[in-house]
Amino acid sequence: MRSESAVLRSLPASTGVTPAPPPSRAERLRSLETESFDLLVIGGGVTGAGAARDAALRGLKVALVEREDFASGTSSRSSRLIHGGLRYLEHGHLGLVFESSIERRRLLQLAPHLVRPLAFVWPVYAGARVPRWKLNAGLMLYDALSLFRNVKAYQRLSLKQVLEAEPGIRSEGLKGGARYYDAATDDARLTLANVLGASDAGAVVLNHASVKRLVMEEGKATGAVVVDHLTGAEHTVRARAIVNATGPWSDEIRQLDSGTTRSGPAVRGSKGVHIAVPRSRLGIQDALTLLSPVDGRVMFILPADAFTLIGTTETATRAHPAEVRASEADVAYLLASANAFFPEAKLTREDMVSAWAGIRPLAASGYHGNTDAGSASREHAIDVSPSGVLAISGGKLTTFRVMARDVVNAVERHLVMPHRKSTTDARPLPGGDIAKLEAEFASARQEVGDAPTADHLVRAYGSRWRAVWALTQETPALAEPLVDGLPYRRAEAAWGVSHEMVQTLADLLIRRLKVAFETRDQGRSAAVRAASVMAPLLGWDAAETERQLAAYAVDAHRIFGVDPADA
């Protein structure tokens, strides 16, 4: 364990101070090979990243490895919501709603740049599965479970008020509705903030590095052999405890654990698909919660700057987590559902800017004997294998901090060490040390001179936005856009390499930024501009740059391609 003073020295820089970059990749690899750790976390999604940060802040010596990139799986392909889980009330999961509501309020305070309030309108139509009385009763309970400390209390809406709020929505059969409040986030950057927080607190974090096998001594897991995918080199990491936080990949890690025998999978995934269309095509004012006329399940239409997100599906899939994509049937379902509520929009396949899919890693125990993923519990589960590997499964984006806290508590018990209280419930995430968000936006707009870019910088980097923009003062060419018409600047490519552990074009354009989600070519044109900035920083020659561009095209298709049939 590291000393308390070492933890304090490594805390994030305060507002206005340029944060120190993380150690170089070579230094981090050297640390993995030569140092011994209290904890090795396998998996760089939001749960693994949160666990690494929590453990490091408690003084444990922590390593985290991720096979692809931080948030490269489900943690960058969600509905981007931090929510209490209104629809979980229908299945009686009151404890989860209570916990989620507390976490929503907490994250609004700890990461105000990344988590922001979002109003939802839920219209009710004649014959709907959820009538007005039931919706109002549910929303009253929803506010009560947040201890009436939500952003605002829910409001009943008349037919006229619903149409005033959303003029484009179908009026036929409309009875009224309600407005309630949850929150939106950038899921990948929320994950990254936890990674950076872990690194700031002394953890050794590494992307593009996978576990090849576990090191066993007398039947107990004492480390892992890790492969660096950038060089092919293998490194042995020694750790007193190992956490499997790989989400949909959990059972693959379990197979490496010779002490684990299971009759069935510990994780049962369901596929969730989203599509993005230009915001102008629907013109929504707030977010919308709807019951799809196709199958009656809850879906969302969500504002996302210049775009509107429509999602999500919930279907079984045989696809590998790394290869899961939307299908034409998924796209047709979402378009048909949206058109049913916005008939004048007449959305078609050509309106779609992008489509993507993720796998929800639900704990198999949460199904309770049924096969319906929609009613399966989102509560998390922790188990320990005979060899001592702790695995966490289930949960959802909103409750990642609680999942991280609980698994680190389990690590302490496993190591028979004194319990130290988690501090993540009161410590802002990196960039979250902002006194007044609106004042930060105003300062950025004045300095940057372009409101969309200024707002994006504050939302993405929080109090660290000035350090990113300062790169444009040193090198004016970095102020040029990565994509015409979008707020992303070339300076962010340089910052991504120097401060956010970007190693590939996909790291930057799919996860650090939302370029791939917001361009019809999924960022292929922007990749050329980004590569011109990244190549000298990462030592790419002309041949390597071309290889990286080709690799990006493969990654973009792997994630955003649309399959002709369901996998």
Side-chain angles (χ1 to χ4, degrees):
M1 291 176 57
R2 294 175 301 115
S3 67
E4 180 75 15
S5 60
V7 175
L8 293 175
R9 284 197 303 271
S10 60
L11 293 181
S14 60
T15 302
V17 178
T18 301
S24 70
R25 187 176 180 87
E27 290 174 306
R28 286 177 279 139
L29 283 166
R30 191 179 310 115
S31 295
L32 287 180
E33 183 74 45
T34 61
E35 299 177 13
S36 294
F37 296 90
D38 295 312
L39 173 62
L40 169 62
V41 179
I42 307 172
V46 71
T47 304
R53 176 175 181 254
D54 189 314
L57 287 170
R58 295 195 207 188
L60 275 70
K61 193 170 179 60
V62 180
L64 178 149
V65 295
E66 160 57 42
R67 170 173 17 200
E68 293 186 32
D69 181 34
F70 311 119
S72 58
T74 307
S75 295
S76 61
R77 308 185 203 179
S78 74
S79 296
R80 307 177 193 171
L81 294 179
I82 299 296
H83 62 124
L86 177 59
R87 70 189 180 95
Y88 304 146
L89 291 178
E90 194 172 11
H91 303 296
H93 300 153
L94 301 188
L96 179 60
V97 175
F98 178 70
E99 181 179 77
S100 300
S101 298
I102 292 174
E103 288 304 297
R104 177 188 58 206
R105 177 177 174 80
R106 183 169 282 134
L107 290 172
L108 283 165
Q109 298 169 336
L110 300 181
H113 58 307
L114 291 172
V115 182
R116 58 186 186 275
L118 183 62
F120 285 74
V121 170
W122 185 321
V124 177
Y125 290 84
R129 177 171 59 80
V130 180
R132 290 185 72 189
W133 70 267
K134 188 174 183 180
L135 174 62
N136 287 319
L139 287 171
M140 186 178 298
L141 178 58
Y142 197 54
D143 280 354
L145 287 170
S146 71
L147 305 179
F148 300 102
R149 298 172 73 184
N150 200 349
V151 177
K152 290 183 181 179
Y154 92 96
Q155 305 161 282
R156 301 185 184 196
L157 299 179
S158 66
L159 184 156
K160 180 182 178 182
Q161 288 172 318
V162 172
L163 293 176
E164 287 175 348
E166 300 295 343
I169 202 166
R170 188 184 85 227
S171 60
E172 180 184 355
L174 183 63
K175 295 297 184 181
R179 179 182 284 113
Y180 70 97
Y181 295 84
D182 267 318
T185 190
D186 181 327
D187 49 6
R189 291 205 67 87
L190 184 63
T191 302
L192 178 69
N194 279 276
V195 171
L196 296 176
S199 179
D200 288 343
V204 178
V205 296
L206 197 72
N207 50 356
H208 302 287
S210 64
V211 170
K212 181 178 181 179
R213 65 178 180 274
L214 298 179
V215 176
M216 296 288 182
E217 296 179 359
E218 299 180 352
K220 299 297 181 182
T222 59
V225 175
V226 173
V227 180
D228 176 8
H229 289 300
L230 301 187
T231 65
E234 295 185 4
H235 303 270
T236 299
V237 183
R238 296 286 178 178
R240 298 168 60 213
I242 298 174
V243 164
N244 174 4
T246 55
W249 287 267
S250 290
D251 287 309
E252 293 186 16
I253 298 299
R254 282 180 167 90
Q255 290 174 8
L256 300 178
D257 188 350
S258 60
T260 299
T261 57
R262 281 187 174 271
S263 58
V267 173
R268 290 173 59 180
S270 71
K271 183 174 75 166
V273 173
H274 297 81
I275 62 174
V277 301
R279 182 80 174 267
S280 59
R281 291 294 286 114
L282 290 180
I284 59 172
Q285 305 303 308
D286 295 324
L288 286 160
T289 304
L290 306 167
L291 298 178
S292 170
V294 178
D295 58 6
R297 76 176 306 275
V298 174
M299 60 174 291
F300 302 110
I301 298 182
L302 305 166
D305 297 320
F307 301 88
T308 296
L309 308 187
I310 304 171
T312 176
T313 63
E314 188 143 28
T315 56
T317 181
R318 297 187 303 274
H320 188 275
E323 300 294 334
V324 66
R325 284 183 291 274
S327 71
E328 291 292 352
D330 295 324
V331 171
Y333 168 89
L334 293 174
L335 289 173
S337 298
N339 280 328
F341 292 101
F342 290 87
E344 295 304 313
K346 296 181 173 61
L347 293 174
T348 68
R349 179 72 163 71
E350 286 64 43
D351 289 307
M352 189 180 77
V353 176
S354 61
W356 62 95
I359 295 182
R360 302 176 187 88
L362 305 180
S365 59
Y367 279 76
H368 303 299
N370 65 59
T371 58
D372 177 20
S375 62
S377 174
R378 266 58 175 175
E379 293 178 350
H380 59 277
I382 300 170
D383 64 70
V384 185
S385 76
S387 68
V389 176
L390 295 90
I392 182 162
S393 54
K396 61 196 189 85
L397 179 65
T398 304
T399 58
F400 80 86
R401 194 202 62 81
V402 173
M403 295 170 67
R405 178 201 66 197
D406 289 353
V407 79
V408 178
N409 287 345
V411 167
E412 288 181 331
R413 292 192 296 271
H414 177 69
L415 295 177
V416 195
M417 60 184 295
H419 171 63
R420 295 186 62 183
K421 182 180 180 297
S422 171
T423 61
T424 59
D425 60 343
R427 188 183 298 264
L429 282 161
D433 49 344
I434 297 174
K436 294 183 179 179
L437 189 60
E438 286 307 316
E440 206 73 33
F441 282 128
S443 296
R445 289 166 190 162
Q446 182 175 9
E447 185 168 337
V448 173
D450 177 75
T453 297
D455 290 355
H456 156 68
L457 290 173
V458 173
R459 286 176 180 164
Y461 306 97
S463 61
R464 301 181 172 191
W465 71 266
R466 289 180 179 83
V468 181
W469 188 247
L471 298 178
T472 68
Q473 313 306 308
E474 302 165 9
T475 309
L478 293 179
E480 296 176 8
L482 281 171
V483 182
D484 294 335
L486 291 179
Y488 312 113
R489 302 300 179 105
R490 297 188 187 203
E492 296 178 83
W495 182 264
V497 172
S498 65
H499 284 74
E500 295 184 347
M501 293 172 272
V502 164
Q503 295 293 327
T504 72
L505 290 163
D507 294 352
L508 177 73
L509 300 176
I510 299 176
R511 291 172 288 274
R512 306 301 182 276
L513 308 175
K514 287 285 186 277
V515 172
F517 293 83
E518 298 176 355
T519 51
R520 291 184 181 276
D521 69 350
Q522 274 61 71
R524 289 173 176 83
S525 299
V528 177
R529 294 180 179 179
S532 69
V533 177
M534 293 168 58
L537 298 174
L538 290 169
W540 298 345
D541 59 17
E544 179 61 15
T545 299
E546 288 302 314
R547 194 190 73 78
Q548 291 287 339
L549 288 167
Y552 179 77
V554 171
D555 271 343
H557 176 73
R558 177 173 60 86
I559 296 172
F560 298 99
V562 178
D563 291 329
D566 284 315

